[in-house]
Amino acid sequence: MGYILNDDQKSMVKAAKEFVEKKVQPVVAEYDREGTLPIELYQEAAELGYTALEVPEEYGGSGLDYYTILAMYEEFAKVDAGFATGVGAASLALKTVLIAGSPEQKKYFASFVNGEKQGLDKPETGYQGYAAFALTEAGAGSDAAQQKTVAEKDGDDYVINGSKCFITNASLASVFVVFATTDKTKGTKGISAFIVERDLPGVSIGKEEDKMGIRLSNTAEVLFDNVRVPADHLVGAEGKGFVYAMQTLDMARPSVASFAVGVGQRAIDEAVAYAKTRKTFGKPIIAHQAINFKLADMDIKVEAARSLVINYVNKYYEQIALGKRNFTREAAICKCFAGDVAVQVCLDAIQILGGYGYSREYPVEKLLRDAKIMQIYEGTNEVQRMVIGGALSR
Ligand code: COS
C-alpha cells in the first residue's frame, strides 16, 4: 500500500476494511444480481459514521484527513464499488456547502450526514447520513452549463422547477444540493446552488436506473415541481453555482480514483490467487511468463494510480495551506488514469481466469462491470482530458 499512515489512521482504515468484509462481502453477489438496495447496510454505515468522514469535527464529523479517507474508500471499493459509491457520495453534496456555505449552512447540512437529525428513516424523508449532489440533467451531462432547472426569486423564497437525472443516492438522500439557473441570460454565471430538503412539497424521486455495474448503489431522477425554499437556502452567492460545482468536482474526482484503485487491486488479488492454484502444462499459471508479466503490468498500473491519488492529496493540502485551490489538474489526472487502469486491469484479470473469468460464478466479471463507470461518472474521462489539456493550454 502506498499510503504512509500513522497508527490511528491505520486503525481507521482497518476498521473500515473489517466492516465491509464482514457485513457487505457476504451479500454482494445477491444484491448485484437483484439490483436492489441494501438499505440496512447503508443505515449501519451511517451509524458507524462512514457518511460523515468528510464532516469537520466542529460540525460533528470525524475530522479525518484525506489520506485516511481515500485509503478507507479504497477498502470499501475492494469489497464493492457500488457500496463505496453510495457511502462516499454522502459527502459529495456536503463538499459544496463546505466550500461556499455560511457557518449556519455548514452546521445545518452536516446535521443530515453526521447522524444528528432524527426521524430520517423512510423514503419520503430520505435516510439519516445521506445527501445527494444534483447537477446532471438529461441535456446537461458533460456540458454541465446547460442547466434547464430554474430557480425563480419570489418574495423571500426561491421556487425551483426542473429535473435531474443519474443522481447517486437520490432515493436515499435526506437533503440535496441542487444547481439551477437563476438568470438565463448569463450562462455559467447565471447558475446558483441551493440546499433542498427531501421532504419539501414538490420534491419527488423519478426513475431508478437499472445499471450494468455498481448495482449496490442507487442512481435515480429527482424531480422539482414548484419547490419553495427560503432565500437562506441559497449556497454562497447567486450566479456562482457553476464555479462551486466545479470546485466540488475537483475534490470529488479523487474519491472516484480511490474506488477505481480498490476495484483494480481486487482484480489483481483475484487473478493472483487464481494463477497460483490453476495449473497448465505441469505448473501453476503464475509461473508462465505470459501470465506473470501480465500480473506485473497490472500491479504497476494500480500502484501508479494509487500514487496519483496520493499526489492529489499532497497538492490539495499544499494549496489549502496557501489559501488557494489550484488542484483541478491533479484531481482530473488521478480520476482519468485510475478509471482507465481499473477497466484495463479487470479485462486482464478476466483473461487470466479464462472461461472462469467470464462466468458469473467468479467475481471478476462483476469487477469489470463496476470498473466501467469509473470512466464515466464524476465527469467522463474525455472531460478529464479536456480539463487537463485546458490546464496545459493556459
Ligand atoms: N474551479 C474553479 N472555477 C472553474 C473551474 C474549477 N475547477 N472550472 C471552470 N471554472 C470556471 C471558469 O474559470 C469559468 O469562469 P470565468 O468565465 O469567470 O472564466 C467558468 O467556470 C466556466 O468555465 P468553462 O468555460 O471552462 O466551462 P465549460 O462550460 O467549458 O465546462 C467542463 C467545463 C467541461 C470542465 C465542465 O462542464 C465539466 O466539468 N463537465 C463535466 C461535469 C461532470 O463532471 N459531471 C459529473 C456529474 S456530477 S457527480
Side-chain angles (χ1 to χ4, degrees):
M1 192 186 228
Y3 289 94
I4 297 169
L5 303 174
N6 65 30
D7 287 348
D8 287 346
Q9 293 167 318
K10 277 184 195 157
S11 73
M12 292 297 298
V13 177
K14 188 164 169 270
K17 177 178 159 69
E18 285 170 359
F19 166 65
V20 283
E21 284 181 351
K22 189 165 162 227
K23 293 291 178 82
V24 183
Q25 182 65 66
V27 296
V28 164
E30 180 193 332
Y31 279 103
D32 175 61
R33 205 168 37 244
E34 305 291 329
T36 51
L37 210 58
I39 295 274
E40 288 84 19
L41 287 175
Y42 274 111
Q43 287 179 305
E44 195 172 341
E47 275 159 28
L48 290 168
Y50 290 134
T51 54
L53 293 178
E54 302 188 39
V55 178
E57 250 173 330
E58 58 187 306
Y59 300 118
S62 76
L64 278 175
D65 63 282
Y66 276 108
Y67 296 103
T68 313
I69 292 171
L70 293 170
M72 290 166 89
Y73 286 167
E74 179 182 330
E75 292 301 333
F76 286 162
K78 252 189 238 170
V79 167
D80 187 76
F83 193 71
T85 296
V87 173
S91 301
L92 177 56
L94 171 79
K95 293 185 215 288
T96 311
V97 180
L98 292 179
I99 288 167
S102 64
E104 294 73 31
Q105 287 175 331
K106 289 178 191 175
K107 191 168 182 301
Y108 180 63
F109 202 89
S111 72
F112 286 86
V113 290
N114 69 12
E116 270 173 52
K117 242 193 162 51
Q118 299 301 310
L120 299 174
D121 55 3
K122 48 186 177 298
E124 308 82 64
T125 59
Y127 292 82
Q128 187 169 290
Y130 292 91
F133 179 78
L135 174 69
T136 301
E137 299 183 3
S142 289
D143 191 358
Q146 301 304 316
Q147 298 285 312
K148 293 284 176 285
T149 297
V150 290
E152 277 173 307
K153 195 87 198 273
D154 183 30
D156 288 339
D157 299 334
Y158 284 91
V159 178
I160 302 176
N161 278 290
S163 65
K164 301 284 172 178
C165 63
F166 297 126
I167 304 305
T168 300
N169 282 350
S171 311
L172 280 172
S174 51
V175 66
F176 296 86
V177 165
V178 179
F179 294 86
T181 295
T182 38
D183 187 339
K184 283 181 196 153
T185 64
K186 291 190 176 159
T188 55
K189 292 186 172 53
I191 296 169
S192 305
F194 297 90
I195 296 172
V196 179
E197 295 87 345
R198 168 67 184 91
D199 60 1
L200 285 180
V203 178
S204 61
I205 307 304
K207 185 181 72 146
E208 294 191 350
E209 299 297 333
D210 184 9
K211 305 188 295 293
M212 165 183 173
I214 57 162
R215 289 169 62 79
L216 274 75
S217 72
N218 168 261
T219 316
E221 283 177 334
V222 191
L223 315 172
F224 304 96
D225 181 13
N226 283 318
V227 177
R228 191 170 278 274
V229 292
D232 67 5
H233 280 37
L234 170 73
V235 181
E238 201 175 271
K240 292 268 282 176
F242 188 81
V243 169
Y244 303 152
M246 294 300 113
Q247 290 176 334
T248 302
L249 292 170
D250 288 346
M251 291 182 67
R253 287 171 178 158
S255 302
V256 169
S258 68
F259 303 156
V261 170
V263 172
Q265 186 61 55
R266 175 73 185 278
I268 293 173
D269 296 346
E270 294 290 340
V272 166
Y274 181 84
K276 280 181 177 168
T277 53
R278 172 74 173 175
K279 286 189 178 147
T280 60
F281 309 103
K283 53 185 176 183
I285 62 171
I286 199 164
H288 293 299
Q289 200 175 62
I291 301 297
N292 199 264
F293 278 16
K294 196 185 278 299
L295 286 167
D297 283 335
M298 291 159 73
D299 199 27
I300 292 167
K301 286 176 188 147
V302 170
E303 196 64 61
R306 185 181 290 115
S307 301
L308 286 175
V309 177
I310 296 167
N311 178 61
Y312 159 83
V313 186
N314 292 341
K315 181 79 182 202
Y316 170 83
Y317 283 123
E318 177 212 76
Q319 288 292 304
I320 293 297
L322 294 169
K324 296 181 181 171
R325 306 191 66 87
N326 185 18
F327 42 78
T328 303
R329 173 179 162 274
E330 288 72 15
I333 285 178
C334 70
K335 191 275 183 190
C336 187
F337 186 78
D340 287 349
V341 157
V343 170
Q344 186 56 55
V345 162
C346 289
L347 281 168
D348 290 340
I350 291 174
Q351 191 66 19
I352 290 169
L353 271 78
Y356 294 112
Y358 201 65
S359 163
R360 297 222 164 180
E361 227 182 293
Y362 283 74
V364 289
E365 64 81 30
K366 173 192 175 280
L367 293 177
L368 177 65
R369 289 189 282 110
D370 287 350
K372 183 58 201 168
I373 194 65
M374 313 290 169
Q375 293 178 311
I376 300 170
Y377 69 175
E378 222 89 338
T380 62
N381 279 5
E382 288 76 10
V383 162
Q384 308 310 320
R385 289 178 168 93
M386 279 171 70
V387 170
I388 300 159
L392 295 174
S393 313
R394 273 192 285 279

mmCIF file of all heavy atoms in Angstrom, residues 92 133 135-136 141-145 188-189 242-243 246-247 249-250 253 328 377-380 383-384 386-387, ligand 1:
data_model
loop_
_atom_site.group_PDB
_atom_site.id
_atom_site.type_symbol
_atom_site.label_atom_id
_atom_site.label_comp_id
_atom_site.label_asym_id
_atom_site.label_seq_id
_atom_site.Cartn_x
_atom_site.Cartn_y
_atom_site.Cartn_z
ATOM 1 N N LEU A 92 -20.541 14.097 -1.073
ATOM 2 C CA LEU A 92 -20.339 14.886 -2.293
ATOM 3 C C LEU A 92 -21.032 16.249 -2.216
ATOM 4 O O LEU A 92 -20.407 17.294 -2.439
ATOM 5 C CB LEU A 92 -20.828 14.049 -3.495
ATOM 6 C CG LEU A 92 -20.805 14.659 -4.877
ATOM 7 C CD1 LEU A 92 -19.417 15.138 -5.241
ATOM 8 C CD2 LEU A 92 -21.284 13.626 -5.904
ATOM 9 N N PHE A 133 -25.901 15.172 -4.611
ATOM 10 C CA PHE A 133 -25.408 16.313 -5.392
ATOM 11 C C PHE A 133 -26.168 16.287 -6.717
ATOM 12 O O PHE A 133 -25.983 15.363 -7.513
ATOM 13 C CB PHE A 133 -23.909 16.102 -5.591
ATOM 14 C CG PHE A 133 -23.173 17.125 -6.394
ATOM 15 C CD1 PHE A 133 -22.807 18.348 -5.843
ATOM 16 C CD2 PHE A 133 -22.777 16.844 -7.705
ATOM 17 C CE1 PHE A 133 -22.070 19.268 -6.573
ATOM 18 C CE2 PHE A 133 -22.035 17.767 -8.437
ATOM 19 C CZ PHE A 133 -21.685 18.975 -7.873
ATOM 20 N N LEU A 135 -26.616 17.847 -9.990
ATOM 21 C CA LEU A 135 -26.113 18.726 -11.055
ATOM 22 C C LEU A 135 -26.592 18.239 -12.422
ATOM 23 O O LEU A 135 -27.151 19.018 -13.212
ATOM 24 C CB LEU A 135 -24.571 18.749 -11.017
ATOM 25 C CG LEU A 135 -23.862 19.502 -12.157
ATOM 26 C CD1 LEU A 135 -24.107 21.006 -12.035
ATOM 27 C CD2 LEU A 135 -22.343 19.225 -12.149
ATOM 28 N N THR A 136 -26.416 16.943 -12.688
ATOM 29 C CA THR A 136 -26.651 16.401 -14.030
ATOM 30 C C THR A 136 -28.124 16.464 -14.428
ATOM 31 O O THR A 136 -29.011 16.173 -13.625
ATOM 32 C CB THR A 136 -26.165 14.938 -14.082
ATOM 33 O OG1 THR A 136 -24.780 14.922 -13.758
ATOM 34 C CG2 THR A 136 -26.363 14.322 -15.461
ATOM 35 N N GLY A 141 -24.930 16.924 -19.108
ATOM 36 C CA GLY A 141 -24.048 15.925 -18.507
ATOM 37 C C GLY A 141 -22.629 16.444 -18.563
ATOM 38 O O GLY A 141 -22.201 17.214 -17.694
ATOM 39 N N SER A 142 -21.920 16.093 -19.644
ATOM 40 C CA SER A 142 -20.554 16.630 -19.816
ATOM 41 C C SER A 142 -20.592 18.147 -19.928
ATOM 42 O O SER A 142 -19.727 18.849 -19.399
ATOM 43 C CB SER A 142 -19.910 16.033 -21.071
ATOM 44 O OG SER A 142 -19.616 14.674 -20.864
ATOM 45 N N ASP A 143 -21.607 18.647 -20.645
ATOM 46 C CA ASP A 143 -21.747 20.108 -20.800
ATOM 47 C C ASP A 143 -22.631 20.617 -19.664
ATOM 48 O O ASP A 143 -23.805 20.958 -19.857
ATOM 49 C CB ASP A 143 -22.366 20.395 -22.172
ATOM 50 C CG ASP A 143 -22.300 21.867 -22.533
ATOM 51 O OD1 ASP A 143 -21.818 22.677 -21.707
ATOM 52 O OD2 ASP A 143 -22.742 22.219 -23.644
ATOM 53 N N ALA A 144 -22.023 20.645 -18.471
ATOM 54 C CA ALA A 144 -22.800 20.891 -17.250
ATOM 55 C C ALA A 144 -23.428 22.290 -17.198
ATOM 56 O O ALA A 144 -24.324 22.539 -16.396
ATOM 57 C CB ALA A 144 -21.907 20.685 -16.026
ATOM 58 N N ALA A 145 -22.976 23.182 -18.076
ATOM 59 C CA ALA A 145 -23.506 24.554 -18.058
ATOM 60 C C ALA A 145 -24.935 24.644 -18.615
ATOM 61 O O ALA A 145 -25.606 25.658 -18.424
ATOM 62 C CB ALA A 145 -22.581 25.469 -18.863
ATOM 63 N N THR A 188 -22.911 30.338 -17.612
ATOM 64 C CA THR A 188 -22.402 29.718 -16.378
ATOM 65 C C THR A 188 -22.523 30.677 -15.187
ATOM 66 O O THR A 188 -22.592 30.227 -14.039
ATOM 67 C CB THR A 188 -20.924 29.276 -16.519
ATOM 68 O OG1 THR A 188 -20.145 30.401 -16.920
ATOM 69 C CG2 THR A 188 -20.762 28.155 -17.531
ATOM 70 N N LYS A 189 -22.551 31.974 -15.466
ATOM 71 C CA LYS A 189 -22.647 32.950 -14.361
ATOM 72 C C LYS A 189 -24.088 33.211 -13.915
ATOM 73 O O LYS A 189 -24.348 34.074 -13.077
ATOM 74 C CB LYS A 189 -21.969 34.260 -14.756
ATOM 75 C CG LYS A 189 -20.467 34.090 -14.892
ATOM 76 C CD LYS A 189 -19.749 35.398 -15.129
ATOM 77 C CE LYS A 189 -18.246 35.213 -15.060
ATOM 78 N NZ LYS A 189 -17.706 34.169 -15.929
ATOM 79 N N PHE A 242 -21.996 27.479 -10.691
ATOM 80 C CA PHE A 242 -21.192 26.655 -11.601
ATOM 81 C C PHE A 242 -19.764 26.504 -11.075
ATOM 82 O O PHE A 242 -19.200 25.409 -11.094
ATOM 83 C CB PHE A 242 -21.184 27.272 -13.013
ATOM 84 C CG PHE A 242 -20.539 26.383 -14.039
ATOM 85 C CD1 PHE A 242 -21.242 25.333 -14.612
ATOM 86 C CD2 PHE A 242 -19.213 26.575 -14.430
ATOM 87 C CE1 PHE A 242 -20.648 24.488 -15.545
ATOM 88 C CE2 PHE A 242 -18.608 25.739 -15.367
ATOM 89 C CZ PHE A 242 -19.329 24.690 -15.924
ATOM 90 N N VAL A 243 -19.207 27.596 -10.600
ATOM 91 C CA VAL A 243 -17.844 27.533 -10.048
ATOM 92 C C VAL A 243 -17.822 26.606 -8.827
ATOM 93 O O VAL A 243 -16.925 25.775 -8.681
ATOM 94 C CB VAL A 243 -17.320 28.945 -9.699
ATOM 95 C CG1 VAL A 243 -16.026 28.871 -8.892
ATOM 96 C CG2 VAL A 243 -17.096 29.752 -10.970
ATOM 97 N N MET A 246 -17.826 23.044 -9.983
ATOM 98 C CA MET A 246 -16.507 22.630 -10.488
ATOM 99 C C MET A 246 -15.534 22.414 -9.327
ATOM 100 O O MET A 246 -14.752 21.469 -9.320
ATOM 101 C CB MET A 246 -15.943 23.683 -11.456
ATOM 102 C CG MET A 246 -16.724 23.850 -12.749
ATOM 103 S SD MET A 246 -16.810 22.329 -13.717
ATOM 104 C CE MET A 246 -18.540 21.948 -13.631
ATOM 105 N N GLN A 247 -15.603 23.307 -8.343
ATOM 106 C CA GLN A 247 -14.710 23.169 -7.183
ATOM 107 C C GLN A 247 -15.056 21.896 -6.393
ATOM 108 O O GLN A 247 -14.164 21.234 -5.855
ATOM 109 C CB GLN A 247 -14.816 24.399 -6.288
ATOM 110 C CG GLN A 247 -14.187 25.634 -6.944
ATOM 111 C CD GLN A 247 -14.363 26.892 -6.108
ATOM 112 O OE1 GLN A 247 -15.306 27.009 -5.325
ATOM 113 N NE2 GLN A 247 -13.465 27.849 -6.286
ATOM 114 N N LEU A 249 -16.309 19.158 -7.742
ATOM 115 C CA LEU A 249 -15.812 18.026 -8.535
ATOM 116 C C LEU A 249 -14.291 17.897 -8.407
ATOM 117 O O LEU A 249 -13.757 16.786 -8.417
ATOM 118 C CB LEU A 249 -16.237 18.178 -10.001
ATOM 119 C CG LEU A 249 -17.760 18.029 -10.217
ATOM 120 C CD1 LEU A 249 -18.147 18.422 -11.633
ATOM 121 C CD2 LEU A 249 -18.222 16.605 -9.927
ATOM 122 N N ASP A 250 -13.614 19.024 -8.252
ATOM 123 C CA ASP A 250 -12.155 18.966 -8.040
ATOM 124 C C ASP A 250 -11.822 18.177 -6.769
ATOM 125 O O ASP A 250 -10.744 17.603 -6.646
ATOM 126 C CB ASP A 250 -11.562 20.373 -7.896
ATOM 127 C CG ASP A 250 -11.528 21.130 -9.211
ATOM 128 O OD1 ASP A 250 -11.710 20.492 -10.267
ATOM 129 O OD2 ASP A 250 -11.318 22.358 -9.188
ATOM 130 N N ARG A 253 -13.465 14.025 -7.555
ATOM 131 C CA ARG A 253 -12.884 13.087 -8.537
ATOM 132 C C ARG A 253 -11.848 12.150 -7.912
ATOM 133 O O ARG A 253 -11.805 10.965 -8.272
ATOM 134 C CB ARG A 253 -12.337 13.878 -9.738
ATOM 135 C CG ARG A 253 -13.493 14.402 -10.584
ATOM 136 C CD ARG A 253 -13.130 15.372 -11.670
ATOM 137 N NE ARG A 253 -14.355 15.734 -12.402
ATOM 138 C CZ ARG A 253 -14.506 16.834 -13.123
ATOM 139 N NH1 ARG A 253 -13.506 17.697 -13.235
ATOM 140 N NH2 ARG A 253 -15.652 17.067 -13.736
ATOM 141 N N THR A 328 -7.117 21.368 -9.611
ATOM 142 C CA THR A 328 -8.042 20.839 -10.626
ATOM 143 C C THR A 328 -7.352 19.783 -11.493
ATOM 144 O O THR A 328 -7.905 18.710 -11.762
ATOM 145 C CB THR A 328 -8.514 22.004 -11.523
ATOM 146 O OG1 THR A 328 -9.111 22.990 -10.680
ATOM 147 C CG2 THR A 328 -9.517 21.547 -12.558
ATOM 148 N N TYR A 377 -18.630 8.321 -14.680
ATOM 149 C CA TYR A 377 -19.228 9.270 -13.723
ATOM 150 C C TYR A 377 -18.188 10.236 -13.135
ATOM 151 O O TYR A 377 -16.999 10.061 -13.329
ATOM 152 C CB TYR A 377 -20.088 8.575 -12.667
ATOM 153 C CG TYR A 377 -19.471 7.699 -11.600
ATOM 154 C CD1 TYR A 377 -20.293 7.174 -10.601
ATOM 155 C CD2 TYR A 377 -18.133 7.387 -11.539
ATOM 156 C CE1 TYR A 377 -19.784 6.366 -9.591
ATOM 157 C CE2 TYR A 377 -17.614 6.578 -10.531
ATOM 158 C CZ TYR A 377 -18.444 6.081 -9.565
ATOM 159 O OH TYR A 377 -17.938 5.295 -8.571
ATOM 160 N N GLU A 378 -18.730 11.252 -12.471
ATOM 161 C CA GLU A 378 -17.903 12.359 -11.939
ATOM 162 C C GLU A 378 -17.106 13.026 -13.063
ATOM 163 O O GLU A 378 -16.000 13.524 -12.861
ATOM 164 C CB GLU A 378 -16.965 11.822 -10.860
ATOM 165 C CG GLU A 378 -16.866 12.718 -9.666
ATOM 166 C CD GLU A 378 -17.901 12.431 -8.589
ATOM 167 O OE1 GLU A 378 -18.955 11.837 -8.891
ATOM 168 O OE2 GLU A 378 -17.676 12.845 -7.458
ATOM 169 N N GLY A 379 -17.707 13.041 -14.254
ATOM 170 C CA GLY A 379 -17.053 13.606 -15.438
ATOM 171 C C GLY A 379 -16.404 12.489 -16.231
ATOM 172 O O GLY A 379 -15.566 11.760 -15.709
ATOM 173 N N THR A 380 -16.814 12.345 -17.493
ATOM 174 C CA THR A 380 -16.226 11.287 -18.327
ATOM 175 C C THR A 380 -14.715 11.502 -18.441
ATOM 176 O O THR A 380 -14.219 12.610 -18.225
ATOM 177 C CB THR A 380 -16.809 11.320 -19.752
ATOM 178 O OG1 THR A 380 -16.470 12.585 -20.336
ATOM 179 C CG2 THR A 380 -18.320 11.134 -19.767
ATOM 180 N N VAL A 383 -13.935 14.333 -20.559
ATOM 181 C CA VAL A 383 -13.979 15.629 -19.861
ATOM 182 C C VAL A 383 -12.690 15.834 -19.051
ATOM 183 O O VAL A 383 -12.127 16.937 -19.032
ATOM 184 C CB VAL A 383 -15.242 15.750 -18.963
ATOM 185 C CG1 VAL A 383 -15.079 16.862 -17.920
ATOM 186 C CG2 VAL A 383 -16.470 16.010 -19.819
ATOM 187 N N GLN A 384 -12.211 14.763 -18.412
ATOM 188 C CA GLN A 384 -10.954 14.917 -17.628
ATOM 189 C C GLN A 384 -9.816 15.357 -18.552
ATOM 190 O O GLN A 384 -8.996 16.200 -18.190
ATOM 191 C CB GLN A 384 -10.554 13.607 -16.931
ATOM 192 C CG GLN A 384 -11.635 12.936 -16.091
ATOM 193 C CD GLN A 384 -12.324 13.864 -15.113
ATOM 194 O OE1 GLN A 384 -11.704 14.713 -14.479
ATOM 195 N NE2 GLN A 384 -13.631 13.719 -14.997
ATOM 196 N N MET A 386 -10.180 17.029 -21.277
ATOM 197 C CA MET A 386 -10.430 18.455 -21.592
ATOM 198 C C MET A 386 -9.851 19.350 -20.492
ATOM 199 O O MET A 386 -9.242 20.385 -20.747
ATOM 200 C CB MET A 386 -11.949 18.742 -21.672
ATOM 201 C CG MET A 386 -12.610 18.376 -22.970
ATOM 202 S SD MET A 386 -14.423 18.517 -22.805
ATOM 203 C CE MET A 386 -14.639 20.278 -22.673
ATOM 204 N N VAL A 387 -10.081 18.926 -19.247
ATOM 205 C CA VAL A 387 -9.628 19.724 -18.097
ATOM 206 C C VAL A 387 -8.094 19.756 -18.047
ATOM 207 O O VAL A 387 -7.483 20.826 -17.887
ATOM 208 C CB VAL A 387 -10.213 19.140 -16.780
ATOM 209 C CG1 VAL A 387 -9.568 19.775 -15.558
ATOM 210 C CG2 VAL A 387 -11.729 19.325 -16.743
HETATM 211 N N1 COS B 1 -12.559 25.704 -10.397
HETATM 212 C C1 COS B 1 -12.984 26.983 -10.363
HETATM 213 N N2 COS B 1 -13.581 27.577 -11.413
HETATM 214 C C2 COS B 1 -13.742 26.851 -12.528
HETATM 215 C C3 COS B 1 -13.317 25.505 -12.636
HETATM 216 C C4 COS B 1 -12.709 24.940 -11.495
HETATM 217 N N3 COS B 1 -12.280 23.671 -11.493
HETATM 218 N N4 COS B 1 -13.615 25.038 -13.852
HETATM 219 C C5 COS B 1 -14.195 26.035 -14.522
HETATM 220 N N5 COS B 1 -14.280 27.134 -13.714
HETATM 221 C C6 COS B 1 -14.811 28.458 -14.048
HETATM 222 C C7 COS B 1 -14.012 29.031 -15.202
HETATM 223 O O1 COS B 1 -12.887 29.743 -14.733
HETATM 224 C C8 COS B 1 -15.020 29.928 -15.866
HETATM 225 O O2 COS B 1 -15.104 31.152 -15.157
HETATM 226 P P1 COS B 1 -14.885 32.548 -15.970
HETATM 227 O O3 COS B 1 -15.982 32.551 -17.010
HETATM 228 O O4 COS B 1 -15.053 33.597 -14.908
HETATM 229 O O5 COS B 1 -13.530 32.473 -16.560
HETATM 230 C C9 COS B 1 -16.362 29.218 -15.651
HETATM 231 O O6 COS B 1 -16.150 28.310 -14.555
HETATM 232 C C10 COS B 1 -16.756 28.405 -16.855
HETATM 233 O O7 COS B 1 -15.702 27.542 -17.168
HETATM 234 P P2 COS B 1 -15.549 26.838 -18.591
HETATM 235 O O8 COS B 1 -15.732 27.872 -19.668
HETATM 236 O O9 COS B 1 -14.310 26.034 -18.567
HETATM 237 O O10 COS B 1 -16.837 25.894 -18.582
HETATM 238 P P3 COS B 1 -17.368 24.895 -19.691
HETATM 239 O O11 COS B 1 -18.816 25.137 -19.868
HETATM 240 O O12 COS B 1 -16.483 24.908 -20.900
HETATM 241 O O13 COS B 1 -17.264 23.466 -18.955
HETATM 242 C C11 COS B 1 -16.231 21.445 -18.132
HETATM 243 C C12 COS B 1 -16.106 22.943 -18.457
HETATM 244 C C13 COS B 1 -16.364 20.565 -19.356
HETATM 245 C C14 COS B 1 -14.928 21.119 -17.399
HETATM 246 C C15 COS B 1 -17.425 21.208 -17.162
HETATM 247 O O14 COS B 1 -18.666 21.398 -17.821
HETATM 248 C C16 COS B 1 -17.422 19.805 -16.561
HETATM 249 O O15 COS B 1 -16.656 19.516 -15.618
HETATM 250 N N6 COS B 1 -18.293 18.911 -17.078
HETATM 251 C C17 COS B 1 -18.452 17.598 -16.502
HETATM 252 C C18 COS B 1 -19.448 17.652 -15.388
HETATM 253 C C19 COS B 1 -19.319 16.461 -14.514
HETATM 254 O O16 COS B 1 -18.236 16.086 -14.084
HETATM 255 N N7 COS B 1 -20.435 15.851 -14.199
HETATM 256 C C20 COS B 1 -20.404 14.703 -13.375
HETATM 257 C C21 COS B 1 -21.672 14.530 -12.715
HETATM 258 S S1 COS B 1 -21.784 15.330 -11.233
HETATM 259 S S2 COS B 1 -21.236 13.929 -9.985
#
